[in-house]
Amino acid sequence: MATVVVGFRLGTGTRQATVIVTQSGRLHLAEGLHGQRGRVRPPRVSHGEYPVHTQVAAFRTEHADRLRRGYNRVLIPPSCVRLERDEPVLHPHPYGPNAPKPDPRLLDEFVGMPLGSPKELEQAIFDFYTTVGLPARRRTVPRQRAAPAQPRKPPISMGYARLLAQGETITSSPRRPVGYRITAETVRLHVGAAGDALDHGEVIKLRAALDAWLQLNPNPGRTSAHTPGDTHP
């Protein structure tokens, strides 16, 4: 057997949240710092006639609430996938001592699944309904005024963002007495063994200064985006 789910993962830059709904009508949620599984909540279940539809409605609400709270980094786009792991059978009275327990392995399997092309939330929900054999209709979302276009991030920045989200560390060459150490939580500069972490405002100022320097020096005469000696685990 297998479990069909629809889910997403959104992040803020330091925190992330993963939400999935399963074909049995349970909503699973985990949230915490980037690179960590975080706190896995007990699944939400419905007692009505249409438990899957009820939890999909909660799924939509959770997605909208996360975006309003600043979770605007799409780490895993809305997706419908089939997991190998089965959910335990739900108790006829799933509350109190019979309430379902948190299932971190189900969320871990969703996070580790190879995903297809990115989809909009409503398309992923439509795919989920049709896959599990429930009536489905395409829900139209009112068009919103487009936000100003943001400059496209270079591939190296996107690659580093994925590394940090996975809990890895980006460091300068160990041969340099002056360097940096960057994780999802901190930016730390050091001179020899001594160092200090920058606060958020200082990181913004440093980034702006580096962007300005690169605009003035666009061609250093070297085509590689990686400096020899730059490391990460």
Side-chain angles (χ1 to χ4, degrees):
M1 295 294 291
T3 302
V4 178
V5 308
V6 60
F8 64 83
R9 171 178 276 188
L10 299 176
T12 64
T14 58
R15 298 185 63 80
Q16 64 188 19
T18 308
V19 185
I20 64 173
V21 172
T22 66
Q23 65 188 76
S24 68
R26 284 174 254 193
L27 185 146
H28 299 260
L29 187 152
E31 59 182 327
L33 296 175
H34 273 307
Q36 300 178 15
R37 176 193 287 157
R39 182 167 66 96
V40 181
R41 297 182 184 177
R44 302 179 201 169
V45 296
S46 301
H47 312 297
E49 187 176 356
Y50 304 104
V52 177
H53 293 80
T54 300
Q55 293 308 327
V56 167
F59 178 78
R60 286 191 179 101
T61 300
E62 191 70 44
H63 188 269
D65 286 346
R66 292 288 168 178
L67 291 176
R68 279 194 293 268
R69 291 162 56 187
Y71 285 73
N72 48 24
R73 296 191 178 185
V74 181
L75 304 177
I76 299 178
S79 308
C80 172
V81 297
R82 188 182 302 272
L83 307 181
E84 295 299 323
R85 179 172 174 78
D86 293 329
E87 281 191 300
V89 176
L90 199 62
H91 194 277
H93 305 286
Y95 46 82
N98 301 320
K101 302 296 188 293
D103 193 349
R105 288 180 292 177
L106 195 69
L107 288 154
D108 289 346
E109 187 174 340
F110 171 74
V111 171
M113 286 288 292
L115 302 175
S117 57
K119 296 180 179 178
E120 296 296 329
L121 181 73
E122 291 305 323
Q123 180 62 51
I125 292 173
F126 180 84
D127 292 347
F128 172 68
Y129 278 149
T130 55
T131 301
V132 301
L134 290 174
R137 62 183 179 87
R138 296 185 186 276
R139 181 175 175 178
T140 58
V141 179
R143 283 186 174 272
Q144 298 180 350
R145 182 177 298 177
Q150 299 295 322
R152 183 175 179 82
K153 295 181 180 179
I156 187 173
S157 296
M158 298 174 67
Y160 280 161
R162 285 192 293 269
L163 289 175
L164 294 176
Q166 293 166 5
E168 300 194 27
T169 302
I170 300 170
T171 64
S172 56
S173 169
R175 296 192 298 270
R176 291 181 175 272
V178 179
Y180 55 83
R181 183 177 186 275
I182 301 173
T183 68
E185 289 78 38
T186 60
V187 174
R188 184 177 179 85
L189 305 181
H190 65 80
V191 179
D196 196 8
L198 303 181
D199 63 29
H200 191 267
E202 291 170 327
V203 172
I204 292 175
K205 186 175 181 179
L206 175 61
R207 177 186 174 181
L210 293 174
D211 286 343
W213 187 91
L214 288 172
Q215 290 180 27
L216 295 174
N217 300 273
N219 184 11
R222 185 162 45 190
T223 58
S224 174
H226 294 274
T227 300
D230 282 2
T231 61
H232 57 78

